């Protein structure tokens, strides 16, 4: 995209009307690019041009779009393996993200990470982590570094609803609260840990209440609404920057596709999926743009064409790029350039 959410958005006070025309247009363009990129990734996976694991973000776009607009340059982001959309929202080159899915040397992780291990230091995106819950203490650690270095930055740490069953989640929350770290823990609760519903895995289904064990401020958020996401993250960020420590946000969202490309999602009904599609975050923003006469239908069509063309460029770039040289497997592993690998 020509500009990022950060560059265009100006945070103001409260309520839906406080957001500007530019903010809504930026949200729409950014979320639409995420959606079309993921849809194309799904098609390419079916054509076996993308291999391995692939977890799509379709339906959850507001979770990242609203957060990026609420935070500032220098803030850090870390998430699990459903990670294609985060760098897109942060302004990473989507061509490099697509190339990474193709395992090409021009990929954002040089073709070494694939779908689950995106990384972009320039845009403060620290992964993309395949171990369930493994990124949670890392997020707390990044926040510790910001506090230690006396910056005004924070870390927002995303996880799925299944990750809260990991001990690392509770250890990280305990230390973050004890040390008053500038971190926002976000549970992207899409209702299912892989194919198992939250109701079948825990007596506690209001996941934000897990913060009470550590006296951590926590709240549920309608994450099908980009405005609600922005406002909740904005409030948590203000708390973190004041030195009051972490917050726990439960983003109540939904994924329209299965857990991964290998999941047919037979554990839920079509009616359930359609119910959530009625609250689609992109369609909500589109409706607001049209209702407020910020744009015309022709403007919407122009944006849609622009996004479609951009995704096509991503695919062309990925297909025309080369695979990494085999020697690349020995680079970026250790800080020591001449590490004595045994290669025989």
């Amino acid at each position: 995209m020509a500009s990022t959410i950060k560059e265009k958005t100006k945070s103001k006070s409260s309520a839906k009307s406080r957001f500007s025309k530019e903010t809504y247009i930026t949200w729409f363009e950014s979320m639409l690019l995420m959606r079309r990129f993921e849809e194309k990734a799904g098609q390419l996976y079916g054509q076996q041009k993308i291999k391995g694991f692939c977890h799509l973000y379709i339906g959850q776009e507001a979770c990242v779009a609203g957060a990026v607009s609420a935070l500032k340059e220098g803030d850090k982001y870390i998430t699990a393996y459903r990670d294609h959309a985060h760098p897109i929202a942060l302004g990473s080159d989507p061509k490099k993200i697509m190339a990474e899915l193709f395992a090409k040397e021009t990929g954002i992780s040089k073709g070494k990470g694939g779908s689950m291990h995106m990384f972009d230091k320039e845009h403060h995106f620290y992964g993309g982590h395949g171990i369930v819950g493994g990124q949670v203490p890392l997020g707390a650690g990044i926040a510790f570094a910001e506090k230690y270095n006396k910056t005004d930055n924070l870390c927002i740490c995303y996880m799925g609803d299944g990750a809260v069953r990991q001990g690392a989640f509770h250890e990280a929350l305990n230390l973050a609260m004890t040390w008053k770290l500038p971190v926002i823990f976000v549970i992207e609760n899409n209702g299912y840990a892989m194919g198992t519903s939250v109701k079948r895995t825990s007596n506690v289904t209001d996941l934000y209440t897990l913060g009470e064990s550590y006296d951590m401020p926590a709240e549920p958020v309608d994450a099908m609404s980009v405005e609600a996401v922005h406002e909740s993250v904005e409030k948590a960020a203000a708390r973190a920057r004041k030195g009051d420590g972490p917050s726990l946000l439960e983003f109540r969202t939904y994924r329209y596709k299965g857990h991964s490309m290998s999941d047919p999602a037979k554990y839920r009904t079509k009616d359930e999926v359609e119910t959530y599609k009625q609250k689609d975050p992109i369609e909500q923003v589109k409706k607001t743009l049209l209702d407020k006469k910020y744009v015309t239908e022709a403007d919407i069509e122009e944006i849609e064409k622009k996004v479609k063309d951009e995704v096509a460029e991503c695919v062309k770039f990925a297909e025309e790029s080369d695979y990494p040289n085999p020697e690349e497997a020995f680079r970026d592993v250790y800080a020591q350039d001449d590490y004595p690998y045994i290669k025989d």
Side-chain angles (χ1 to χ4, degrees):
M1 289 185 298
S3 55
T4 68
I5 294 174
K6 283 183 187 150
E7 292 168 346
K8 281 188 173 180
T9 301
K10 295 180 181 178
S11 298
K12 299 174 185 174
S13 55
S14 188
K16 198 170 185 176
S17 60
R18 77 183 179 97
F19 297 109
S20 68
K21 168 184 173 180
E22 291 73 22
T23 297
Y24 276 106
I25 290 175
T26 303
W27 277 337
F28 181 69
E29 287 188 6
S30 179
M31 291 196 292
L32 189 64
L33 178 57
M34 296 178 217
R35 176 72 57 87
R36 298 294 178 255
F37 183 99
E38 293 289 65
E39 288 172 345
K40 179 57 69 173
Q43 292 174 12
L44 294 165
Y45 191 94
Q47 296 168 15
Q48 297 188 338
K49 292 184 178 182
I50 295 173
K51 297 180 173 64
F53 295 100
C54 186
H55 304 80
L56 303 180
Y57 209 65
I58 297 172
Q60 297 185 205
E61 294 87 356
C63 294
V64 61
V68 171
S69 63
L71 298 179
K72 69 178 183 65
E73 178 64 34
D75 289 334
K76 310 301 190 291
Y77 295 73
I78 191 168
T79 189
Y81 41 75
R82 198 178 303 279
D83 63 344
H84 312 159
H86 291 75
I88 288 176
L90 285 165
S92 299
D93 186 344
K95 293 195 295 295
K96 292 183 178 180
I97 299 172
M98 186 65 78
E100 188 61 38
L101 294 177
F102 275 63
K104 297 297 184 70
E105 65 177 3
T106 55
I108 202 165
S109 297
K110 301 183 181 179
K112 303 176 184 180
S115 171
M116 298 197 294
H117 301 101
M118 302 285 174
F119 192 94
D120 188 350
K121 183 179 178 181
E122 179 187 351
H123 291 91
H124 310 297
F125 181 65
Y126 293 92
H129 294 267
I131 303 298
V132 174
Q135 78 281 8
V136 185
L138 293 178
I142 292 169
F144 177 86
E146 298 297 336
K147 182 169 184 175
Y148 182 85
N149 289 321
K150 296 181 170 57
T151 73
D152 189 42
N153 302 327
L154 58 81
C155 179
I156 184 165
C157 177
Y158 289 81
M159 70 204 78
D161 48 272
V164 305
R165 312 297 168 218
Q166 297 285 354
F169 167 81
H170 298 275
E171 294 168 358
L173 263 63
N174 180 55
L175 282 179
M177 197 64 195
T178 300
W179 293 339
K180 298 294 184 286
L181 300 181
V183 56
I184 304 171
F185 294 109
V186 173
I187 304 168
E188 290 183 296
N189 183 2
N190 59 31
Y192 297 92
M194 294 186 72
T196 307
S197 70
V198 173
K199 294 177 181 178
R200 292 181 59 201
T201 60
S202 176
N203 184 57
V204 177
T205 54
D206 289 325
L207 301 182
Y208 72 95
T209 62
L210 295 173
E212 294 174 0
S213 301
Y214 310 99
D215 290 334
M216 185 181 295
E219 65 180 15
V221 181
D222 174 11
M224 301 302 277
S225 163
V226 70
E227 297 96 341
V229 169
H230 178 106
E231 291 183 344
S232 65
V233 172
E234 187 176 53
K235 182 169 66 173
R239 167 183 163 77
R241 298 195 210 282
K242 281 195 304 181
D244 291 342
S247 301
L248 176 65
L249 304 178
E250 180 190 344
F251 283 2
R252 294 178 172 174
T253 183
Y254 200 78
R255 54 172 164 79
Y256 300 162
K257 301 295 183 180
H259 170 72
S260 69
M261 287 301 298
S262 61
D263 173 19
K266 293 182 179 179
Y267 42 81
R268 60 189 186 182
T269 66
K270 290 182 179 178
D271 286 344
E272 178 182 305
V273 178
E274 287 304 315
T275 297
Y276 277 95
K277 285 185 177 181
Q278 297 305 310
K279 300 184 287 185
D280 186 90
I282 300 174
E283 290 300 317
Q284 287 192 60
V285 169
K286 177 181 174 181
K287 184 177 186 302
T288 299
L289 282 168
L290 292 170
D291 287 351
K292 289 181 175 289
K293 294 183 170 52
Y294 287 156
V295 298
T296 64
E297 288 285 359
D299 294 327
I300 293 292
E301 290 177 8
E302 185 177 339
I303 292 171
E304 289 175 341
K305 182 181 184 305
K306 172 187 169 186
V307 168
K308 182 181 179 180
D309 291 345
E310 188 168 4
V311 172
E313 288 177 17
C314 292
V315 178
K316 184 175 185 292
F317 176 80
E319 289 184 326
E320 293 177 352
S321 295
D322 294 325
Y323 287 105
N325 185 302
E327 282 295 310
E328 203 47 57
F330 300 101
R331 299 192 182 102
D332 304 318
V333 180
Y334 296 107
Q336 181 180 335
D337 289 333
D338 59 347
Y339 186 84
Y341 289 101
I342 298 173
K343 300 182 182 180
D344 297 332

